[in-house]
Structure formats: structure tokens, C-alpha cells
Amino acid sequence: MPNQQLLEHLDAKVLQGLIDRYYAGENVVALLKEFDVTCRPGDLWRHFPPDEAGRDCPMCSEPLIVPRLSRTGMRGKMTSPARCSACLHVETPRCTCATCSAARRLAVQEKERQDREAIANFCTCRWSYAPLKITPDQLSAEAAIALLSLVRCGGWLDDSSVGAIRNSVISFAPQDAEIQRQLLDVLLEYCLVAPLPNSPAGTFVTTGDDQGWQMESAHWAMLFPDPPGFIRQLECLVASSSWPEAWLADCHLVWKRLAAAECWEFCKYSVQKRDLPMPGAIALYALIENLLRDFSVSQCYQLIWASAADATDYRARKRISVHHAANFLIGACQRRADRSRTEHWLIKGFHRNFQHGRSQVSHVLHEVFLRHGEIGFYTSPIANSAC
Ligand SMILES: [Zn+2]
Ligand SMILES: [Zn+2]
């Protein structure tokens, strides 16, 4: 600890001389003896009065001072921030004095206010939050399926808003497939729902000048009249025999897209299990569409799994790259499907993969709308739609 009395027998000029000679690198033991100072040589600098910063404290206008450093510290280019001789202010960004702490709190609050304003502007420019006049029978089946799935996944937060789909025990739709975005886009285009500007942190993200948003974490404003009542009416309509005319055909289209998404998700699982990358998207979608003409999702799973094994074997034999092997999978699967058609192979199919359970869209489509349960998984959607 600095001892003010230790150097008080030295007048200001002599003291400055001692300080200058200390920092000039003179022998400290000799200096202690010459100036009649008693302390450990390594502690001499601690007893020097602080240097003057030459400016005043911005908080209280008293002079700022700069605490001394040892000459070793000076050689190591250490610096000591200026601090106020009267208040607790220290000239660092992390100063904990009351004024700086309050200023930082204000800056954080101002940043949060600006962020909220930017999010509100982003939302109102992008979506209408006006109440919509619509009845359940005016919805397409695709929108109705998407809406029921969203409400069941997100759950009611209050009677006009629904929570985030990422918090659902059951995933909204097969993972990593486009169908989730497509179905939620249908609801946004109808202006049936809109993301709430006060959704959880991280929903709206700013990158440079671009503002983006995450569908999974958004909370949703329900913009149709009496939302809980509307959903009850919609469920009654779905359960009735008086469906709007286009609904059945619409449901089969959603079935086909859902089946394709489930195959995509399973292909991703199969290639990951064999340390292969995903095949090219265009080729894979074309393959899946071809398979679903005659095969159920269950049978497609088996064909894809076997073809992933073929690709791995081929790679081991021919020493080809993983990308080449992933593309080989497409051809192998197509050949398997073609042969099974011409030679009438019995493809028993797989059960659902426990890592990829049924999605909410699958439950709503196959249980609530089509009411045939897992027939949707064990039969071809295209063969069915032709009936
Ligand atoms: Zn001050
Ligand atoms: Zn401060």
C-alpha cells in the first residue's frame, strides 16, 4: 500500500528528481539510501504520488490522475488508465462509476428500443396485421392443414396468438425439407397469420443492412376472427362430409409433397449413416417423384437405404469420391425401382424411423383430414390419387 508519509520529507522538486532518476533506471537501493527512504526496493514506485493526466474528469470536473507503474511495467508497455482524483470514474469502457453505469444502461435500453422499432418496421412492411374476414370453408385444404398443424405445434399463448413451432414435441414437418416453409408461406400469403414482432429474442436477426427471421422461433398472430372459435369450426368442417369441392384433390397433393419430404429426410439420414453427402437436389427430387409413382414412403425408405449401401460398397470397390458415391446412389436406386417394377419384387418396406417420427403435418393430414392413419405411409400417394 502507498504510504504518503514515506516521502513527505522530500520537497516537490527533490521528489520529482527521485521519480525521474527511478524511471531513468538508476540503482534503486542507492536511491533509497541517497534520499533516506525506507522501503523494499521493489515497492518504491508504489509510494510515488500519481501523475497528473492534464485534463479534468468529465463527470465531476476534478483533475484526472494517472496511477504510477513500476519501471518494469513501463518497459512492458503497460498503461494505466486515468482516474478521477475525486470520484470513482476511471477512463475505461468498463468504468463502474455510477454515471458510466447509468450511461451504459441507457445505451443498452436505447439499442433495445431501436431494435424493437426496426423489427416492428420490418414486420409491418412485410406482413399485414389487419383482421381478416374469412370463414373456414373459404380456406384451401393446404392452408387448413397448415393452420391446424401450426396451432397444434405452437399451442395457444392467448386467444389470438400461437407459440413457436420449435417448442413442439412433434416436429411441424419432416426436417430439412422445403415443405415446412412452403406450408407456412401459404398461411402468410393468405394473411391468416403473421409473425409477432415481440417474438422471442433471436427470431428477427439483423446482418448488416439485411433483416431476416426464423420461422421456427416466431410467435404467431392469428388474424382471422375469433381464432379459437374459428379453429373449432374448421375442425368440425374437416370432420363433416360437406368438404369444399377442391379439398380432396388438394389433400392428395399435400400427401404427395409430404411423402416426398419424408423420403428426402430419410435419404439424408441414410447418407449420414454412411458418411456420404446428400446427392444433388434436382436428381434426388426427380428420383423421389419417380419412386412415389408406384411405391409407398415405407417402400421408398427400403429402396433408398439399400441404395445407400450399394453406393458405399461401390465406393469401396472403385475407390471413388464420396460425392461420386452419393450420385451413384441415385442411379442405383432408380435401377432397383425399375427392376422391382418389371420383375414384380415384393418390397416389404420399412416402418417409420424412430429418429424421424411422424410430423404434425402427417398427423393432421392422415388422421384428421384423410382419416386413414398410417395408410398414408404404407401406400403410394400417387397410386391413391389416381383412384
Ligand atoms: Zn470525477
Ligand atoms: Zn465512470
Side-chain angles (χ1 to χ4, degrees):
M1 288 292 290
N3 181 348
Q4 301 290 339
Q5 290 158 1
L6 201 70
L7 304 174
E8 71 179 1
H9 61 288
L10 306 176
D11 65 30
K13 193 173 172 189
V14 175
L15 177 59
Q16 191 57 50
L18 170 62
I19 292 170
D20 291 346
R21 289 170 65 186
Y22 166 79
Y23 285 112
E26 287 195 26
N27 182 291
V28 180
V29 175
L31 287 173
L32 290 175
K33 194 172 176 186
E34 180 182 338
F35 287 87
D36 190 22
V37 177
T38 308
C39 73
R40 291 195 316 152
D43 286 343
L44 174 60
W45 64 273
R46 296 180 196 279
H47 304 291
F48 293 156
D51 203 2
E52 288 178 7
R55 56 189 187 279
D56 293 336
C57 171
M59 307 303 166
C60 70
S61 302
E62 292 297 317
L64 287 176
I65 53 173
V66 182
R68 302 280 181 183
L69 290 170
S70 70
R71 59 193 188 191
T72 316
M74 297 277 278
R75 278 199 295 275
K77 300 213 166 51
M78 284 172 63
T79 54
S80 183
R83 58 184 63 229
C84 181
S85 55
C87 74
L88 294 173
H89 177 66
V90 182
E91 293 221 310
T92 71
R94 295 180 302 283
C95 173
T96 55
C97 82
T99 313
C100 286
S101 299
R104 268 202 305 277
R105 274 197 302 278
L106 270 180
V108 168
Q109 285 167 5
E110 175 59 15
K111 171 80 170 60
E112 287 171 353
R113 191 194 64 74
Q114 286 176 0
D115 287 350
R116 278 197 303 275
E117 196 175 292
I119 289 169
N121 284 340
F122 172 75
C123 290
T124 47
C125 287
R126 198 164 174 146
W127 300 292
S128 164
Y129 290 82
L132 195 66
K133 284 186 182 166
I134 193 166
T135 52
D137 59 345
Q138 291 175 297
L139 297 178
S140 68
E142 184 186 30
I145 291 163
L147 184 59
L148 280 187
S149 301
L150 175 61
V151 170
R152 289 177 180 210
C153 259
W156 293 103
L157 297 175
D158 53 40
D159 61 7
S160 63
S161 57
V162 161
I165 58 175
R166 74 167 175 198
N167 296 335
S168 172
V169 176
I170 299 175
S171 66
F172 178 85
Q175 292 160 28
D176 302 315
E178 285 280 287
I179 191 167
Q180 173 174 297
R181 189 186 54 73
Q182 290 167 348
L183 288 175
L184 292 175
D185 274 349
V186 169
L187 298 181
L188 291 169
E189 282 161 21
Y190 257 96
C191 299
L192 280 164
V193 303
L196 280 165
N198 62 352
S199 292
T203 302
F204 299 98
V205 284
T206 307
T207 316
D209 292 337
D210 293 333
Q211 183 103 44
W213 71 290
Q214 306 287 329
M215 283 181 161
E216 291 78 9
S217 56
H219 287 177
W220 302 86
M222 302 285 117
L223 301 169
F224 39 86
D226 177 20
F230 184 97
I231 295 297
R232 279 195 298 276
Q233 287 172 33
L234 175 59
E235 285 171 336
C236 287
L237 177 62
V238 176
S240 76
S241 53
S242 49
W243 276 18
E245 196 181 328
W247 270 23
L248 188 58
D250 256 13
C251 279
H252 279 95
L253 286 175
V254 176
W255 181 1
K256 188 179 154 191
R257 280 167 45 206
L258 175 63
E262 288 175 338
C263 290
W264 177 279
E265 181 186 54
F266 187 79
C267 183
K268 185 158 190 186
Y269 167 77
S270 301
V271 295
Q272 276 175 348
K273 282 283 175 191
R274 295 177 183 281
D275 293 325
L276 296 176
M278 275 293 267
I282 294 172
L284 181 56
Y285 270 125
L287 170 72
I288 290 171
E289 192 170 344
N290 177 287
L291 297 181
L292 287 172
R293 279 214 321 263
D294 297 299
F295 301 105
S296 67
V297 174
S298 157
Q299 290 171 314
C300 289
Y301 278 15
Q302 185 177 337
L303 289 166
I304 291 168
W305 182 258
S307 307
D310 290 346
T312 311
D313 292 347
Y314 185 73
R315 179 172 177 241
R317 281 200 314 275
K318 301 286 184 183
R319 298 178 186 279
I320 55 172
S321 71
V322 286
H323 293 284
H324 190 167
N327 290 329
F328 179 85
L329 180 155
I330 300 282
C333 196
Q334 187 67 68
R335 287 190 291 279
R336 269 182 185 275
D338 292 343
R339 283 193 66 192
S340 71
R341 283 172 176 134
T342 52
E343 297 178 16
H344 305 291
W345 290 354
L346 175 65
I347 298 180
K348 207 171 159 196
F350 282 3
H351 296 302
R352 278 194 189 275
N353 183 282
F354 70 94
Q355 288 192 3
H356 298 111
R358 286 180 74 180
S359 63
Q360 191 65 255
V361 172
S362 168
H363 280 282
V364 168
L365 173 68
H366 293 303
E367 308 292 345
V368 183
F369 278 74
L370 294 173
R371 280 177 273 168
H372 60 192
E374 281 291 63
I375 283 177
F377 180 71
Y378 291 108
T379 57
S380 158
I382 296 174
N384 269 274
S385 65
C387 295

